[in-house]
Structures are given as C-alpha cells and as structure tokens.
Amino acid sequence: MTETTTRQADQIAPAFVAAADEVVARYPVSIRSASLPLLHLWQNEFGFVDDSGIEWISARLGLVPINILELVTFYPWFRREAAGRTIIRVCRTLSCAMAGSHEVKEKFCEAVGLDPHAGHHGFGCAPPTSPDGKFSVEFVECLASCGSAPVALVNDDLIENIRPDAVAALVEKLK
Amino acid sequence: MASILPPPHSKERRIIFGNISLPDYAPDIDTYIRHGGYASLKTALAMKPSEIVGAVKAANLRGRGGAGFPCGTKWSFIRYDDGKPHYIVVNGDESEPGTFKDRHILHRDPHQLIEGLVISAFATNTHLAYIYIRCEFPHAARIVSEAITEARARGFVGKNILGTGFDLDIHVHQGAGAYICGEETSLLESLEGKRPYPRIKPPYFPAVLGLYMKPTIVNNVETICHVGHIIRLGAAEYAKMGTPGDGGTRTMCVSGDVVRPGFYELPCGAVTLRELLFDICGGLKPGRSLKAVIPGGSSAKIMRADEIYKVKGPDGAMVEKNLSMLDVTMDASTLQSIGTMIGSGGVIVMDDSRDMVRTLNNLNTFYAHESCGQCTPCREGSLWMAKMTDRMLAGGGRADDPAALKSVADNIAGRTICAFGEACSWPTQSFLAKFPEEFAIKAS
Ligand SMILES: Cc1cc2nc3c(=O)[nH]c(=O)nc-3n(C[C@H](O)[C@H](O)[C@H](O)COP(=O)(O)O)c2cc1C
Ligand code: SF4
Ligand code: FES
C-alpha cells in the first residue's frame, strides 16, 4: 500500500457530496445497496480508495468500515493505491488468447516501458504502472467482445482487433 | 465498437438486432420511436397482466443468459397479488467467455431493453427495477441511464405510466469486475451492497426470496428485449420462428478460428453447426480444418469434430439419429440431448492448430481467478485444475495427471452452492473425455 499523507476525505468538494446523495437516492429500499456505486464514485474522483474513503462511505451509509473494505478486497476493479493515468486492460481469455492477446499485452508493456512479465500483485494493488505514472497495463478476463478479438479496454474505451504491430503507434497517440 | 452490422445472411432474422442493423440508427428515444418504439408498451398496457405472462409462456421464450429456463414459467412463480413488493433485475453482467451480444443492445438500442422491462414489470406487478451492467461497459451504463431519463420525460417510466396508474422506477447498477456477479443470486447480493457470494438454493430462489428477500425476477438483457417483440408479433407468430421448445430468435456469438466471427441472430434451431460455421461465418481460415467447438459459452461441454452424435430432436420429434458434429442443429434441446448446451449462445471455434491442453488451461485459469471462494471444492478445485494444466504445459506433467484432473473436476460438480461449480468442471471433464490422447502426451 502507498503511504498517503493527505486523506482523500479531506478533499471532498460539495459537488461530490451532492453526487453521493444522488446515488443513494437510487436505492429507496436499502441504502446499503449504494456501497458499490459510492466506491465507483470515489475511485473515479480520487483514483483509488484510501482508508478515509472506506470510513467516509461506511459512515454515509450507516455501516461499519469492514462492510466497505470487504468489497474493495473482493472486486478486482477497486484498488487501494494509485494507478497510471491511462489504464490498459488487455483481455486474456480464450478467444482473445487464440487471437494473440499475450503478444498484444507484451507490446503494450514494451511501448509504455513496463516489464512484460511482471505480475500483478493482487487484490487492492494497482496494476503495474510505468515509472512516469502515465500508464498501467494488466490482463483482465473476457470483456464480452470475443468476436473482435483481441481487445483491450483503454480507460473507458474498447479497442478491438488489435494487431501487435499497431500497438506502439496506438500508445504514442495515448501519450 | 463495430458500428454497422453486415447485411443479414438469408437464414438470419433480426428482431433484437433489427434497429441496430440500420445504418443511421442512434440510441436516442426519438430514433427509437420513429422506428416503432414503445408501440408494444401501449399494446401491453391495454392487456391484462396475466395475458402478458400467458403470451410469454406461449411464445416458448427461454432465458438467453445461460441456464435457458422458460421465461413465462419463471414469471408465473411470482404471484401478482401476494401483497409483497416485487423486483426485476436485468442481468447485464455479460461475462461468460464467448458471449458478446448484450454489449451491443446496451450500447446501441437501450430503449428496446427499457420497453421490454416496463412490459415485464407491468405483467408482474413490479414497481422497482434495476439494470445491472458490468463496469467494463462504462459507456453502456451512461447510455442506458440517459435513456431511462428520456423515457421518464415521455411518461414511459416513472409515476402513472401513460396515464394507466402504473408506476415503475428503473435504475442502473454497475458491477465491479467479478464474473461471479452474473450468477443471479450473487448479482442480488452485489446489488444489496454485500460481498457477492451466491446464495444457496433452496431456499433462496430469487422468485421467492430475491432482492431484499422479496420475490424477484432476474432475466438476461436479451430475454427482456424479446418480451417486447412477443407483444408486437403475437405469441403464436413469435413462437413459430423457433422450435416447439425454444421459441423466437437467439443471438449466436461466434468467435475463434472462423473467417467471419461475429454475432448472428437466428431463429432458434434454424441452422446446423455446419451452416453456422461455413455458410454464415465463412468457414475456417485457409488451409485449416475444424477440430472442436464449444457451443454455448466457455462452460458448455466441448464437441469434437470427428465424433458421431446420437441426437434427439429438434424438440417434439425426439427421433434418435446419428449425426456428425456439423449436422447437429443449434437449438436448446438438441444440444442438451448430446450432453452439452446452447447456454449463452457463445460458440467458440478451434481449428487443428490448437493444443487442447493449452486451451483448457486458459479456461481453467479463468475459473480459478473467478471462483468466489465460498465452497471448498470450487475454490481449491478450480485452482488445482489450473495448476495441473500449467504444469503439463511447462513440461512437468505426471502420468496420473489426467486421472487426477478428472477426479478433481468430478468432485466439484454437484457439490457447491452455485452452478459455477459445474461451469468450472465441465470444461475439464469434457476436454479429457474428448481429447484423451492430447492429455496423455503431456502427462508423461
Ligand atoms: C457462474 C455463472 C455466471 C453467469 N453469468 C451470467 C451473465 O453474465 N449474464 C446472464 O445473463 N446470466 C448469467 N448467468 C445465468 C444467471 O444466473 C441467470 O440464470 C440468468 O440471468 C437468468 O436470466 P434468463 O432466464 O433470462 O437467462 C450466470 C450463471 C452462472 C452460474
Ligand atoms: S460454486 Fe464456486 S463460485 Fe459458486 S458459490 Fe461456490 S465457491 Fe462461489
Ligand atoms: S475472450 Fe476476450 S473479449 Fe471475450
């Protein structure tokens, strides 16, 4: 885990509180249902979820912190430390693997200056991130676009039919 | 996103993908209405709720999410007037490897889903619904949320829908990268804000003790979309497109070693595997021959190209005949009769260049990563199956590895809380049964 000197919760703006209220309103039967969407809101705002985030969300929903922490440690999407500005998630599942996704991932790693064979450290950790903090690259499971394999999710955008030899140029555009 | 669909093959019948095929189709409400959207809702609101449930039953609509349960039967477990709140949760988690149809509906025709959902809610006395979308579809979550806002502004969603006194709220809920959330009770736990551990059935059948322990319908995105078309076409007309046990159209997603992978909407049981792979998908890559096919998402048992199958069906007929793999009809009951399944419609094709141990290892790694960890046989077994195939690939296979793999798989299926147990053992069991020689080579 990264040592953070500033607590994310100290940087909350009124707009964030309003957005959180809006999220909670979608769950009229049980506000605990808002825990996942609040985690998304938090991570989108701050890049990751620190202890103060876990405390803030649990307090907002009348829960105890472990109720939120157990979600962060279960779901692969959430992390407790900063990732790169652009996160490249290459699909490693069958159809993409058959179409060459391992080579595609290696090319992405090389293009952003990462060791292609460095592993992911596990739940809660950020995926391997380039020294300049610009890129993270990781393998993920099937992205539901197997017909246009190999694919990768680059931040919010899906890139399909990726040719290994086109990766370097793609990364240049993302820089 | 592949923007425009190629013109349909002559066997295709685009009901769900009708709008999406149009070159200038956009996801906004005006475009949808211009193409006849929300007319089925008006028809449905003039019907009795029980008539709608009856129509869905008569249409022989089976769930498109994987389990293939008859949709009308599922709905009739909900008692309209039991005085309890009911909920509908649309399963847009789409994460079964090989499946990629819901993604397009959510991104490109969200109102089709909303219309089907409002009809489904009206039929089952439901006033609150959630659309659960995997977080790897961030644009879809935004597009569907905007569509709900548009529909609310036009009186199709919200209070007193089209002046009928019927109320329905719909919200989008995003997942967080876990495959298990596609399993319906895991999805409900996820939606309740808890760790998404699947619930044990019985007693936690969603229709009895679902979301917030109230009667709940969980249906796949495509399934809910079909409801609108059943109302539009009439149950009889709709059912007629398919086979007696599998009505309407189903989207087949084809990936792997074919010339034209993609998704194709076909009347249920309209094509054999040969027609699907060779006529529609352009056959195998030059110089290659067919080795194996997974017919219904990664957990469906694999079919071997040179095998002769004893087939019953399609439906009704129930005549036994011997067929080569390519002559098997792609409908739910035929595939069931040969020991595999149509599942989520995800067809993964492998040619003669593929190593079956490597292929299985890819799936084993997937399942080992995605097990929720609640049940010991699944948590430990999925990991061991991945480790053993890893070892075989690294040249460290042992003579008893195939038997050990089979024993691990056999001890998962049927001994777990949810069907992930079956889903992760079927690939190992079927790969070993169909390709023993490849495992034997790597086991020495
Ligand atoms: C491990 C597992 C994963 C599943 N994933 C999905 C999924 O991603 N999408 C889906 O619609 N159904 C999925 N299902 C099936 C659901 O549990 C449920 O049967 C389905 O959503 C019901 O809808 P339907 O009757 O309309 O098919 C999955 C089931 C299991 C056991
Ligand atoms: S079978 Fe596997 S995924 Fe399902 S509840 Fe048990 S451990 Fe979890
Ligand atoms: S296998 Fe890569 S998107 Fe499905």
Side-chain angles (χ1 to χ4, degrees), chain A residues 26-27 29 33 35-36 40 70 73-77 92-95 97-98 141-144 146-147 156-157 160, chain B residues 1-2 98 100 103 130 134-135 139 171 173 175-177 190-193 195-196 212 255 261 354 362 365-366 370:
Chain A
R26 287 184 225 144
Y27 303 95
V29 182
S33 286
S35 46
L36 214 49
H40 278 299
E70 68 173 0
T73 55
F74 185 93
Y75 290 103
W77 195 257
R92 64 153 291 282
T93 317
L94 188 53
S95 303
M98 293 199 299
E141 300 295 351
C142 181
L143 288 169
C146 329
D156 284 358
D157 299 318
E160 301 169 272
Chain B
M1 183 115 348
F100 46 96
R103 141 187 303 282
Y130 289 96
R134 64 182 298 193
C135 68
H139 293 302
H171 300 288
H173 187 91
S190 177
L191 185 46
E192 290 187 6
R195 261 199 177 198
Y212 309 130
S255 65
R354 300 298 168 189
N362 182 285
T365 309
F366 171 82
E370 298 300 336

Side-chain angles (χ1 to χ4, degrees), chain A residues 90-167:
Chain A
V90 182
C91 173
R92 64 153 291 282
T93 317
L94 188 53
S95 303
C96 286
M98 293 199 299
S101 67
H102 282 77
E103 197 187 345
V104 165
K105 187 197 170 225
E106 274 178 27
K107 296 283 182 205
F108 269 117
C109 287
E110 284 165 15
V112 306
L114 279 171
D115 172 5
H117 304 292
H120 195 313
H121 302 294
F123 287 103
C125 298
T129 301
S130 60
D132 59 8
K134 281 191 180 150
F135 291 99
S136 294
V137 181
E138 66 177 336
F139 261 146
V140 292
E141 300 295 351
C142 181
L143 288 169
S145 194
C146 329
S148 49
V151 301
L153 191 63
V154 176
N155 285 344
D156 284 358
D157 299 318
L158 184 76
I159 308 196
E160 301 169 272
N161 296 118
I162 304 172
R163 286 199 332 265
D165 59 8
V167 166

Side-chain angles (χ1 to χ4, degrees), chain B residues 16-38:
Chain B
I16 299 296
F17 287 93
N19 285 339
I20 296 173
S21 304
L22 304 170
D24 56 351
Y25 192 75
D28 65 277
I29 197 164
D30 290 315
T31 306
Y32 186 64
I33 291 174
R34 214 167 38 245
H35 290 93
Y38 289 108

Side-chain angles (χ1 to χ4, degrees), chain B residues 333-352:
Chain B
S333 36
T334 304
L335 287 173
Q336 200 180 343
S337 81
I338 62 164
T340 184
M341 61 178 183
I342 193 96
S344 57
V347 180
I348 308 174
V349 182
M350 280 147 265
D351 70 22
D352 59 336

